[in-house]
Amino acid sequence: MKPNVAAAMAELSHLEIDENPATIRNKSRDFFWYSPVLKAEMDHLEADFVVNPKTEEEVIEVLKTCYKHDVPVTCRGGGTGNYGQAMPLAGGCVMHLTGMNKIKEIGAGYVVAEPGIIIKELDEELKKASGQEMRMIPSTASQASLGGFIAGGSGGVGSANWGALRDLGNIDRLRVITMEAEPRALEFTGEELHRVSHAYGTNGIITEIEMPLAPAYEWVDMFVRFDSFRTATEFAGQLAAEPGILIKLASVYAAPIAHKYFQRVKAHVTENDHLCGVMVAPQSMAGFQTLLSRYEGGEVIYRSDDVKWDRHPGPVFEYGWNHTTLRALKFEKDLTYLQVRYGDDIEKIMKAYETFKDDLYMHLEVMREGAGLSFAGLPIVFPKDKAQLDDLIAKHEAMGCMIFNPHRYTLEEGGRQSTDQRQLDFKREADPKGLLNPGKMIAWDEPDFDYADMYSYAKITPKPEAAE
Amino acid sequence: MKPNVAAAMAELSHLEIDENPATIRNKSRDFFWYSPVLKAEMDHLEADFVVNPKTEEEVIEVLKTCYKHDVPVTCRGGGTGNYGQAMPLAGGCVMHLTGMNKIKEIGAGYVVAEPGIIIKELDEELKKASGQEMRMIPSTASQASLGGFIAGGSGGVGSANWGALRDLGNIDRLRVITMEAEPRALEFTGEELHRVSHAYGTNGIITEIEMPLAPAYEWVDMFVRFDSFRTATEFAGQLAAEPGILIKLASVYAAPIAHKYFQRVKAHVTENDHLCGVMVAPQSMAGFQTLLSRYEGGEVIYRSDDVKWDRHPGPVFEYGWNHTTLRALKFEKDLTYLQVRYGDDIEKIMKAYETFKDDLYMHLEVMREGAGLSFAGLPIVFPKDKAQLDDLIAKHEAMGCMIFNPHRYTLEEGGRQSTDQRQLDFKREADPKGLLNPGKMIAWDEPDFDYADMYSYAKITPKPEAAE
Ligand SMILES: Cc1cc2nc3c(=O)[nH]c(=O)nc-3n(C[C@H](O)[C@H](O)[C@H](O)COP(=O)(O)OP(=O)(O)OC[C@H]3O[C@@H](n4cnc5c(N)ncnc54)[C@H](O)[C@@H]3O)c2cc1C
Ligand SMILES: Cc1cc2nc3c(=O)[nH]c(=O)nc-3n(C[C@H](O)[C@H](O)[C@H](O)COP(=O)(O)OP(=O)(O)OC[C@H]3O[C@@H](n4cnc5c(N)ncnc54)[C@H](O)[C@@H]3O)c2cc1C
């Protein structure tokens, strides 16, 4: 351990610190292994020590002390991010926040909470206390933290109705601690929210969050079978489009995903069945049934309010979003995936479906976007190395599909490959030494980077082979 | 009174019957006078008697008795319809339903109620009992009945989020009594709802209604001032488009409507100010403010959660939908209006705004429609006779604007000028003698009608002059 790191750790020794190597390794890793590319780059990364603050005062103390000693701080919630967001590229301190998990206030339509609370627990408490729930949750809700969702996520279950996290009104207020000689606590609302939301903790640590809520309903989880992928897709789109039908999820899994990878669904489908996974409010079931009857061959094979299967499949949302790939990975560990945006263009989706038959299985999620809809694709991609993946991405882009590359660990490469000026400006203010989650914001490290190939952080901890 | 009518009335004498001529006249009229065209055609119309059933059994008795004696039955709720929907073209019995006003069940996300309940009272009860409210209400909610809304209305306050009443999932179930020798009670859901919803009571009487609900919030009513009509329109559209901002109303009133006709607003605007009337959920106020700050010159001049005006303007929704025209009519009784659909095409709106500067003041309501939005226009039209109005309508249609003509009393002319086969088929089943609200469904009376000019029911009670 470098002397500056040791000094910081010593100064923080009255806090809850993990020194056990297994714990450190564990808390230094997230779901980066989802990507074969990131797995190759990041598998060796580890923090020097892990600290577990329980209050904002302790967070401030960690940031102040690490600032003094020039120690990098990478923040971590549930560690479910799948781009290595929470992994310390240059070692140093991992600050684990799940101990900071209090709910501070529940009001009509909103909640104020600490960042470390696990989203599922928050949702259960909200429902019990007020009949409300989060507008949207990641499919990892049972492990993910609220702060990690805001700093590292983008939307998910609920986006079929409420759009993405970044849409106006989906985050109300964030309280943020800067990493300076004297850390400041700042409160952000409105346009300022985007300084730190989805910034991977590179420019401040979120210590309090105010989120808008939705009414909690006894959502009816369903699987709906179709003979044709096009029909399944059209149905999912129209379901989300109907303003009078309240839904929380509309996923489409092209054949043979359900038969091949959904263990508890397998017995109820053939390898030619295309499936929709949906969550519908009970009072919208009549409208749902009416709509479904307009689509040829659509058949509800499972509904959570009337379970006829021997083995309960669990929540349907845990088949959607990134969980589709997760389920496939359990069967074939070399599979991977992409993140595609098709807009609301079903013909483009059908073209991709035909064109990439030998490369991937289609998986779609419907989201509200602007005044309309957008289909987000999270296709299951057959085993590919980095060059093949890059080629597949290029082919998608040539077809007019936008790609958010999940095989990169920087903010820019996972996004629109351009500098987010607000995030960069705020990093200049809030993290003058560049110690917060270093290496994740290209604009900070290398403003002239040309995106010709994958970015590689210059100061990343070298791989053991290379270090030997 | 004709002998058959007298016989029916005598047989129903144990029910609550109105015979006082002033009461009969009163309960035979609705807001038909809104249209100068309808006023000229319908002002003389009156029922022979009015019956006020309190239960479904009594409704059945009225229908059975009137069937036996061939007496027309025109049903009436609050009598706020503005196309003369509830007016008895051929006299006979007016069946007044506001005595049938019980709430039968309130559940999570739905309510079951009788048709005669006044919507505002229903909403207050829902809020008190369960923190819920109707998804959408007409701006006449304080006088209109639930049954009249379903049989005669189309949407309103809430449609900015939930779309129109006819959209799938916005009505759950209707119980309907037929007019036959032995009236039957039928239950409709799904596709069958459209047989009787928005059918003006021409093919059955609705006696029980199940509606989906939304959470009730302390909506923040606001007036927002703009310098330019385009900016006000763009803002209202974007406000409704943002998936993360929860709203209930987005109206646009072009200058000088607010200054000229909104008495309690007048002191706070100039005749050049364009106004938006909006209702925003409290937890969406932050998102609302952020959005507003992106629109040049947008300024909140009134908000209900922080009233600074000496005289309270009342609910902002009572400035929107058809209430805009109502307020104008209080100042200039010869004004009239149109119902226009511009889709989501703001350029088309701007073109109409320029083209019809000398004919009307623009007033828009934003609604969700399908996956997107639609602007509904309810412009205040300067005094015009029937020929001039027809000309103005033709000019709109030539510009690609769809018109729902509010100067007609038939279902077809107020709609898409085509037969609704489901409504017609069901009328054949449910009202074989054609006694329910006669003269309102052209397809029943005159299948070959060509829509070249206004339809005139052959058996309408002649005007006094003509009868003299
Ligand atoms: C199977 C699977 C399914 C997924 N489904 C979804 C989905 O549906 N939608 C979605 O958006 N994502 C999804 N993800 C990604 C991820 O699970 C979520 O974004 C999750 O909300 C991250 O929360 P976490 O607590 O695990 O964050 P972590 O992984 O711990 O952290 C994520 C990022 O946020 C930063 N961070 C954490 N807490 C703070 C804080 N308090 N202040 C500042 N920065 C902080 C970290 O430094 C890191 O950069 C999925 C991932 C997997 C593996
Ligand atoms: C100022 C103003 C503003 C308005 N704003 C709106 C608006 O925002 N949205 C909107 O949709 N409408 C609006 N309207 C029209 C009207 O007020 C509403 O549609 C209202 O809901 C009608 O309800 P009511 O009880 O007054 O119906 P009534 O006028 O009594 O009846 C309407 C029609 O329904 C039939 N009917 C009534 N009850 C039954 C029943 N139980 N079974 C079968 N048929 C029945 C009647 O025969 C009649 O044809 C407005 C009208 C005015 C004058």
Side-chain angles (χ1 to χ4, degrees):
Chain A
M1 193 179 292
K2 292 196 203 131
N4 64 327
V5 178
M9 192 173 123
E11 267 182 52
L12 294 170
S13 61
H14 57 292
L15 303 183
E16 187 188 313
I17 289 201
D18 293 313
E19 289 174 274
N20 176 316
T23 310
I24 291 179
R25 182 161 167 79
N26 199 11
K27 291 194 178 172
S28 297
R29 297 160 72 79
D30 60 14
F31 277 67
F32 74 104
W33 52 263
Y34 235 66
S35 155
V37 179
L38 296 183
K39 186 156 169 54
E41 296 293 321
M42 304 181 90
D43 202 28
H44 64 294
L45 297 175
E46 267 181 43
D48 292 295
F49 68 96
V50 173
V51 62
N52 303 280
K54 301 278 183 292
T55 62
E56 187 180 272
E57 291 68 46
E58 294 186 357
V59 167
I60 290 173
E61 207 182 330
V62 172
L63 293 174
K64 184 172 171 162
T65 306
C66 289
Y67 178 88
K68 186 167 104 188
H69 296 286
D70 293 325
V71 174
V73 174
T74 300
C75 185
R76 177 201 173 84
T80 68
N82 45 308
Y83 322 130
Q85 296 112 298
M87 293 178 70
L89 296 185
C93 167
V94 158
M95 182 162 66
H96 192 118
L97 285 180
T98 52
M100 240 184 113
N101 60 0
K102 280 189 279 301
I103 298 176
K104 297 192 162 176
E105 187 189 342
I106 300 178
Y110 70 93
V111 64
V112 181
E114 290 184 339
I117 191 163
I118 299 303
I119 295 171
K120 189 181 175 204
E121 289 165 17
L122 173 61
D123 244 2
E124 284 167 358
E125 197 50 50
L126 286 171
K127 192 164 177 179
K128 207 160 58 182
S130 71
Q132 301 181 97
E133 64 184 23
M134 292 274 287
R135 285 180 172 183
M136 65 192 77
I137 58 174
S139 61
T140 44
S142 66
Q143 284 175 270
S145 72
L146 179 59
F149 185 40
I150 286 170
S154 57
V157 189
S159 291
N161 188 34
W162 295 100
L165 258 184
R166 76 168 167 276
D167 282 318
L168 271 182
N170 281 333
I171 304 172
D172 284 334
R173 183 175 56 83
L174 296 175
R175 185 174 164 90
V176 175
I177 309 297
T178 63
M179 189 166 186
E180 302 173 271
E182 293 299 334
R184 289 171 293 155
L186 304 171
E187 300 265 346
F188 291 149
T189 58
E191 307 284 7
E192 295 175 333
L193 290 167
H194 297 292
R195 294 180 173 176
V196 290
S197 68
H198 203 79
Y200 293 0
T202 55
N203 57 12
I205 303 303
I206 301 164
T207 54
E208 190 176 287
I209 296 161
E210 184 174 329
M211 294 292 277
L213 301 176
Y217 292 111
E218 295 292 328
W219 299 100
V220 182
D221 281 18
M222 284 176 281
F223 286 121
V224 191
R225 202 200 58 78
F226 291 90
D227 296 325
S228 110
F229 175 67
R230 177 188 283 274
T231 310
T233 303
E234 286 174 348
F235 173 72
Q238 192 55 38
L239 181 64
E242 289 291 341
I245 301 183
L246 189 62
I247 68 166
K248 190 159 179 171
L249 181 76
S251 318
V252 185
Y253 318 108
I257 291 177
H259 188 260
K260 214 164 171 182
Y261 304 125
F262 295 175
Q263 218 164 351
R264 303 208 169 178
V265 178
K266 195 183 182 72
H268 309 279
V269 291
T270 74
E271 59 191 0
N272 298 318
D273 286 340
H274 307 272
L275 215 62
C276 288
V278 300
M279 292 171 73
V280 178
Q283 68 273 25
S284 287
M285 280 303 293
F288 168 83
Q289 295 283 14
T290 308
L291 184 69
L292 181 59
S293 69
R294 296 180 185 169
Y295 287 79
E296 203 188 316
E299 183 198 352
V300 175
I301 60 168
Y302 166 80
R303 53 188 285 180
S304 59
D305 60 346
D306 183 17
V307 181
K308 301 223 157 62
W309 292 3
D310 291 345
R311 298 173 67 202
H312 197 291
V316 162
F317 77 74
E318 288 184 354
Y319 292 77
W321 290 92
N322 255 323
H323 266 75
T324 315
T325 305
L326 187 66
R327 287 181 186 269
L329 281 168
K330 286 193 180 146
F331 288 82
E332 296 173 43
K333 72 174 191 0
D334 293 335
L335 291 173
T336 183
Y337 78 121
L338 279 182
Q339 296 180 161
V340 192
R341 283 299 177 86
Y342 307 98
D344 62 354
D345 187 345
I346 289 190
E347 296 316 316
K348 194 186 278 179
I349 293 172
M350 293 310 299
K351 191 169 163 207
Y353 178 65
E354 296 302 334
T355 308
F356 302 122
K357 257 191 175 356
D358 299 328
D359 295 299
L360 52 81
Y361 296 140
M362 290 290 264
H363 158 213
L364 306 170
E365 298 289 341
V366 193
M367 317 178 54
R368 272 183 75 194
E369 187 176 80
L373 291 182
S374 176
F375 285 89
L378 295 144
I380 298 175
V381 175
F382 308 155
K384 293 210 181 330
D385 63 21
K386 180 172 167 299
Q388 292 169 322
L389 268 174
D390 287 348
D391 180 53
L392 185 61
I393 289 173
K395 283 187 184 141
H396 272 85
E397 288 173 341
M399 204 182 268
C401 302
M402 203 200 300
I403 295 282
F404 295 104
N405 194 336
H407 305 286
R408 299 292 185 267
Y409 56 70
T410 62
L411 281 164
E412 289 91 341
E413 291 165 300
R416 284 162 200 260
Q417 304 214 336
S418 62
T419 299
D420 185 319
Q421 198 57 45
R422 287 176 298 192
Q423 292 185 349
L424 176 62
D425 288 346
F426 184 59
K427 188 170 172 74
R428 294 207 174 103
E429 251 187 67
D431 179 26
K433 287 192 179 173
L435 294 168
L436 283 171
N437 207 355
K440 304 288 172 64
M441 191 193 279
I442 298 177
W444 175 269
D445 296 328
E446 217 172 295
D448 298 328
F449 184 69
D450 68 0
Y451 298 98
D453 199 355
M454 183 173 177
Y455 177 74
S456 192
Y457 180 47
K459 295 182 225 160
I460 194 168
T461 308
K463 292 183 198 171
E465 316 82 77
E468 263 159 29
Chain B
M1 193 181 292
K2 290 195 203 136
N4 64 327
V5 179
M9 190 171 122
E11 266 182 53
L12 294 170
S13 61
H14 57 291
L15 303 184
E16 188 188 313
I17 289 199
D18 292 313
E19 288 174 276
N20 177 315
T23 310
I24 292 179
R25 181 161 169 80
N26 200 11
K27 291 192 177 174
S28 298
R29 296 160 76 78
D30 61 15
F31 277 65
F32 74 104
W33 52 263
Y34 235 64
S35 155
V37 179
L38 296 182
K39 186 155 168 53
E41 296 292 319
M42 303 180 89
D43 201 28
H44 64 293
L45 298 175
E46 268 179 45
D48 291 300
F49 70 95
V50 173
V51 61
N52 302 281
K54 301 278 182 294
T55 62
E56 187 181 272
E57 291 68 49
E58 293 185 358
V59 167
I60 291 174
E61 207 181 330
V62 171
L63 294 175
K64 183 171 170 162
T65 307
C66 289
Y67 179 88
K68 187 167 105 188
H69 296 286
D70 293 325
V71 174
V73 174
T74 300
C75 186
R76 176 201 175 84
T80 67
N82 46 308
Y83 322 129
Q85 296 112 302
M87 292 179 70
L89 295 185
C93 168
V94 158
M95 183 160 67
H96 192 119
L97 285 180
T98 52
M100 239 183 114
N101 59 0
K102 280 190 278 300
I103 298 177
K104 297 192 162 176
E105 187 188 343
I106 301 177
Y110 70 93
V111 62
V112 181
E114 290 184 339
I117 191 163
I118 300 304
I119 295 171
K120 188 181 175 205
E121 290 166 15
L122 172 60
D123 244 2
E124 284 168 357
E125 196 52 49
L126 286 171
K127 193 164 179 182
K128 207 160 57 183
S130 71
Q132 302 181 95
E133 64 183 24
M134 292 275 287
R135 285 180 171 182
M136 65 192 77
I137 58 173
S139 61
T140 43
S142 66
Q143 283 174 271
S145 71
L146 180 59
F149 185 40
I150 286 171
S154 55
V157 188
S159 291
N161 187 35
W162 295 100
L165 258 184
R166 75 167 168 276
D167 282 318
L168 272 181
N170 281 333
I171 305 172
D172 284 333
R173 182 174 57 83
L174 297 174
R175 185 174 164 91
V176 176
I177 309 297
T178 63
M179 189 168 185
E180 301 173 273
E182 292 299 333
R184 289 170 294 156
L186 304 171
E187 300 265 344
F188 291 148
T189 59
E191 307 284 8
E192 295 176 333
L193 290 167
H194 295 294
R195 294 180 173 178
V196 290
S197 69
H198 203 78
Y200 294 0
T202 56
N203 57 12
I205 303 304
I206 301 164
T207 54
E208 190 176 286
I209 296 161
E210 184 174 329
M211 294 292 276
L213 301 176
Y217 292 110
E218 294 293 327
W219 299 99
V220 182
D221 282 18
M222 283 176 282
F223 286 121
V224 191
R225 202 200 58 78
F226 291 89
D227 295 326
S228 111
F229 175 66
R230 177 188 284 272
T231 311
T233 303
E234 287 174 349
F235 172 72
Q238 193 55 38
L239 181 65
E242 288 292 341
I245 300 182
L246 189 62
I247 68 165
K248 190 158 180 174
L249 180 75
S251 319
V252 185
Y253 319 107
I257 292 177
H259 188 259
K260 212 164 171 181
Y261 304 126
F262 295 176
Q263 218 163 354
R264 302 208 170 178
V265 179
K266 194 182 182 74
H268 309 279
V269 292
T270 74
E271 59 192 0
N272 298 318
D273 285 340
H274 306 271
L275 215 61
C276 289
V278 300
M279 292 170 73
V280 177
Q283 68 272 27
S284 287
M285 279 303 293
F288 167 83
Q289 295 283 13
T290 308
L291 184 69
L292 181 59
S293 69
R294 296 180 186 170
Y295 287 79
E296 202 189 315
E299 182 197 353
V300 176
I301 60 167
Y302 166 80
R303 54 188 285 178
S304 59
D305 60 348
D306 183 17
V307 181
K308 299 222 160 63
W309 292 3
D310 291 346
R311 298 173 66 202
H312 196 292
V316 162
F317 76 73
E318 289 185 354
Y319 292 78
W321 290 90
N322 256 322
H323 267 74
T324 316
T325 305
L326 186 65
R327 287 181 187 270
L329 281 169
K330 286 192 182 147
F331 287 83
E332 296 174 42
K333 71 176 193 356
D334 293 335
L335 291 174
T336 182
Y337 78 120
L338 278 182
Q339 295 180 159
V340 191
R341 283 298 178 87
Y342 307 97
D344 62 355
D345 187 344
I346 289 190
E347 296 317 316
K348 193 187 278 180
I349 293 172
M350 292 310 298
K351 191 169 164 205
Y353 177 65
E354 295 302 333
T355 309
F356 302 122
K357 258 189 173 356
D358 299 329
D359 294 300
L360 53 80
Y361 297 140
M362 290 290 265
H363 157 214
L364 306 170
E365 298 289 339
V366 193
M367 319 179 52
R368 272 184 73 195
E369 187 177 79
L373 290 182
S374 176
F375 285 89
L378 295 142
I380 298 176
V381 176
F382 308 154
K384 292 210 182 330
D385 63 22
K386 180 172 168 299
Q388 292 168 323
L389 269 174
D390 287 349
D391 181 54
L392 185 61
I393 288 172
K395 282 186 184 141
H396 272 84
E397 288 173 341
M399 204 181 270
C401 303
M402 202 200 302
I403 295 283
F404 294 105
N405 194 337
H407 305 287
R408 299 292 185 266
Y409 56 69
T410 61
L411 282 163
E412 289 91 341
E413 292 166 299
R416 284 163 201 262
Q417 305 213 335
S418 61
T419 299
D420 184 320
Q421 198 59 45
R422 288 176 299 192
Q423 291 186 349
L424 176 61
D425 288 347
F426 184 60
K427 188 171 171 74
R428 293 205 176 105
E429 251 188 65
D431 179 27
K433 285 189 179 174
L435 294 168
L436 283 171
N437 208 355
K440 303 288 172 64
M441 190 193 280
I442 298 178
W444 175 268
D445 297 327
E446 219 172 293
D448 298 327
F449 185 68
D450 67 1
Y451 298 99
D453 200 355
M454 180 175 178
Y455 177 73
S456 191
Y457 180 48
K459 294 182 226 159
I460 193 169
T461 308
K463 292 185 199 169
E465 317 83 76
E468 266 160 23

